[in-house]
Amino acid sequence: MALFHFLCTKREEWNLCLRAVHVNHGIRGVEAEEDACFVRSVCARWNVELDEIVLVPPRDHADEAWARAERYAFLEQCAKKHHARVATAHTRSDQAETVLLNLARGSAVKGAAGIPPVRGFFVRPLLEVSREEVLDYLERKELPYRTDSTNLDCNYTRNAIRWEVLPALERARPGAVQALARFAANMEQLSEYLSQQAGKLLCEARLSGAEYDAEIMRAAPPVVCRAALSELIAQREKQEKTALTDQAYDVLRKGGALQIGTNCVLRVSQGRLRLEPPKIRQEEWTLPLEPGTFSLPGNLLLKIEFFPVENVVVLGKDEEKAFNFYADCARILRTAQFRTRRPGDLFSPPGCRCSKPLKKLYSQAKISPVMRAVLPVLAQGSRVLWAADFGFAEGLAITADTKKAVKITLRQMEAQRDEG
C-alpha cells in the first residue's frame, strides 16, 4: 500500500521536517510510472520535498529480494544525506505476516521477533496499528492512496499469508493478528537478552582471532550456546545462513566441520572451535562494459551506469575518493571486460603514475584471500582499468573535456529479516 516513505529530521523539541522518498524498481512498467506521478502530485500539494530513483533491474535477478535490498539501500543513502530517520508504514498486520513467514522458514527467536520498531535509520511508528485502521483513516480524511497490484498476487508467499492464511486464522481465533504482534514484541525482548548472553559467552570463550574454547561453549545453556553460534554465523555470512545453527551445534558437540557459506567453514577439533576460510576456487567469468546491474559470484552486485558528465553528482564527505569511481568513457576501449583477477594483473591507483601488481595492492589493503578470488576487475589484457575498493586507474578520470561518464558500483548483497 505504501508507495513512498518519509524522512524525519528533528528541528526543534517537537517539530519535524518531512521529506518523501519514492523508489521505482523498474519492474512494473506503466503502473510504476503512474505511481511515481501520484507521489509527485501529493508531495507538490503538501509542499513536501521528494527524493526519487528509477532502478534498472538486473537481467536475471529482478525478484522481490533484489527490490527490497535496492529500496533499503536507497532509503539509507537518503537518510545519511539528510541526517534523518526513515519512517515506514509497516503496520500490526505486516508484523503478523512477517512472524508467520519467518516461523515457516524455521527462524529462531530473532526471526520470531518480526519487524523491529527501530533498526538503524528506520523507525516503524504504525506497528501497533492495523492495516484496516490505516485504510479507515484514509477514507474518513478523504486522503488518496494507491495499491501496488502485485500485492494482490497470491503467487507471492507474503501475499498468500496476507489474503489466505491470516483471514483463516482470524476466523478460527479472533484477535490472532493482535496476539501475533504481542508475541513478536515479547520475542524482541527475549532476542535482545539472548544476544547479550551470547556476547558474554563469546567473550569468555574467545582464545585468539576466530578461535574459541569449545569446552566453554559446550558448558553454556544450549539456548545461549545456539544464540552464540548464530551470532558467529551472522557475522560472516548472510542472515539466512543462521538456519544452520542446529547443525553447527551438533558439530560443536561431536566435532567435525560444517561449511556455513561461501566464505567460512566452522571446524571443531582439539578442544577448539575455529572459523576459517574454505579452499579457494577461482570462478572464471566475463562481462562486457555495458549499463545494467549484474549478480556476480560471491553474493556481489555490480552496477554500471553511463550518463552525460553534467549529471555527475557526488554527495557526502569523501567527494575526492568518490570521484575515483567515475571515468571518462572516451578513455576506455569498448573491448574492456569485467572478470576476476589473473596472475600478472597490473593496476595504477588514482594519483599514482606507476603500475603495481594488483596482488600486492590487495595485500596492502588487507583484502582477504576469499574476497580476492571473487572481486571483479575491469581489464584490457593484463592492464586493470578499474578495481573494487580502488576505483578507476590513473589517467581515466573525468576532465573538462569529458562528455560522457561511466560510474561503477560494487556492493555485497545482504539478506535481512523480511520486513516488507
Side-chain angles (χ1 to χ4, degrees):
M1 181 180 67
L3 290 173
F4 56 100
H5 306 268
F6 279 113
L7 296 177
C8 308
T9 304
K10 193 171 183 181
R11 286 289 176 85
E12 296 177 5
E13 187 64 29
W14 51 82
N15 289 333
L16 292 177
C17 175
L18 296 181
R19 300 180 66 95
V21 182
H22 178 66
V23 180
N24 181 343
H25 300 97
I27 297 175
R28 294 185 295 118
V30 174
E31 182 183 356
E33 289 296 330
E34 292 173 350
D35 289 344
C37 290
F38 169 79
V39 171
R40 293 186 199 111
S41 67
V42 170
C43 289
R45 187 161 63 252
W46 292 352
N47 195 29
V48 173
E49 293 189 60
L50 172 66
D51 292 284
E52 58 181 322
I53 188 173
V54 180
L55 302 176
V56 179
R59 294 175 180 176
D60 58 349
H61 204 78
D63 57 12
E64 288 295 303
W66 168 84
R68 185 184 304 109
E70 289 293 315
R71 177 169 66 252
Y72 273 88
F74 183 66
L75 289 171
E76 188 166 327
Q77 176 185 329
C78 291
K80 290 178 179 178
K81 172 182 173 183
H82 300 295
H83 307 287
R85 293 284 188 97
V86 181
T88 71
H90 291 102
T91 65
R92 185 169 64 215
S93 309
D94 296 308
Q95 182 69 294
E97 294 164 10
T98 301
V99 170
L100 286 180
L101 184 59
N102 287 346
L103 291 177
R105 288 170 173 166
S107 297
V109 174
K110 194 170 186 178
I115 306 171
V118 179
R119 178 179 63 80
F121 294 101
F122 301 94
V123 295
R124 279 89 182 197
L126 301 180
L127 271 187
E128 296 183 2
V129 181
S130 71
R131 181 180 294 110
E132 291 71 25
E133 289 174 303
V134 173
L135 291 173
D136 179 65
Y137 179 86
L138 294 175
E139 294 290 346
R140 286 190 288 106
K141 297 295 183 179
E142 298 183 347
L143 295 171
Y145 65 90
R146 286 177 64 85
T147 299
D148 182 340
S149 62
T150 62
N151 287 343
L152 306 176
D153 184 355
C154 287
N155 288 319
Y156 293 102
T157 305
R158 177 178 283 275
N159 291 342
I161 292 174
R162 176 176 300 167
W163 303 117
E164 296 174 358
V165 177
L166 275 179
L169 196 56
E170 277 287 344
R171 287 193 298 270
R173 189 74 179 181
V177 169
Q178 194 161 4
L180 284 168
R182 288 198 304 271
F183 171 75
N186 290 333
M187 290 300 101
E188 181 72 22
Q189 294 178 22
L190 180 56
S191 177
E192 290 179 4
Y193 173 76
L194 283 177
S195 180
Q196 292 172 3
Q197 296 304 306
K200 292 178 182 177
L201 174 59
L202 291 175
C203 287
E204 182 183 354
R206 186 187 296 274
L207 296 173
S208 62
E211 288 193 348
Y212 298 83
D213 188 315
E215 291 301 326
I216 292 178
M217 297 282 287
R218 293 189 194 108
V223 67
V224 175
C225 184
R226 284 187 169 91
L229 290 170
S230 181
E231 179 67 24
L232 287 177
I233 293 172
Q235 288 173 3
R236 290 161 176 80
E237 286 293 334
K238 297 182 290 184
Q239 183 65 39
E240 64 194 45
K241 291 295 185 179
T242 56
L244 296 171
T245 298
D246 285 343
Q247 295 180 47
Y249 185 64
D250 286 340
V251 170
L252 174 64
R253 290 190 301 116
K254 301 173 185 177
L258 172 68
Q259 181 154 351
I260 59 176
T262 306
N263 302 319
C264 190
V265 171
L266 184 149
R267 190 181 305 279
V268 177
S269 64
Q270 299 178 337
R272 296 191 172 204
L273 181 153
R274 294 187 298 276
L275 294 153
E276 53 193 40
K279 184 178 179 181
I280 300 169
R281 291 182 295 182
Q282 187 87 19
E283 297 192 47
E284 286 292 335
W285 54 266
T286 59
L287 278 176
L289 179 62
E290 61 183 26
T293 303
F294 305 92
S295 176
L296 303 181
N299 204 38
L300 299 172
L301 274 183
L302 180 70
K303 187 173 184 180
I304 308 162
E305 302 170 89
F306 291 87
F307 35 72
V309 70
E310 57 266 22
N311 291 350
V312 173
V313 177
V314 177
L315 302 171
K317 298 179 180 178
D318 299 326
E319 294 188 6
E320 184 176 347
K321 183 177 180 181
F323 272 115
N324 293 342
F325 295 86
Y326 293 83
D328 186 335
C329 286
R331 296 170 180 261
I332 301 175
L333 295 176
R334 298 297 293 178
T335 52
Q337 288 189 319
F338 288 95
R339 58 169 174 78
T340 50
R341 69 184 180 96
R342 294 173 182 168
D345 279 347
L346 297 173
F347 180 67
S348 298
C352 178
R353 297 189 177 277
C354 61
S355 296
K356 300 181 179 181
L358 185 60
K359 180 179 179 180
K360 182 177 181 180
L361 292 170
Y362 278 168
S363 178
Q364 292 173 345
K366 297 183 179 179
I367 296 174
S368 72
V370 172
M371 288 305 299
R372 295 180 206 179
V374 296
L375 285 177
V377 298
L378 177 66
Q380 182 74 38
S382 62
R383 182 194 175 204
V384 175
L385 308 177
W386 174 92
D389 287 356
F390 297 100
F392 283 97
E394 174 67 15
L396 302 180
I398 294 171
T399 68
D401 298 324
T402 301
K403 294 182 173 59
K404 188 176 182 181
V406 56
K407 178 186 177 184
I408 299 175
T409 308
L410 181 74
R411 70 178 182 84
Q412 186 98 27
M413 290 185 283
E414 295 182 0
Q416 301 174 352
R417 288 183 291 184
D418 190 351
E419 299 168 4

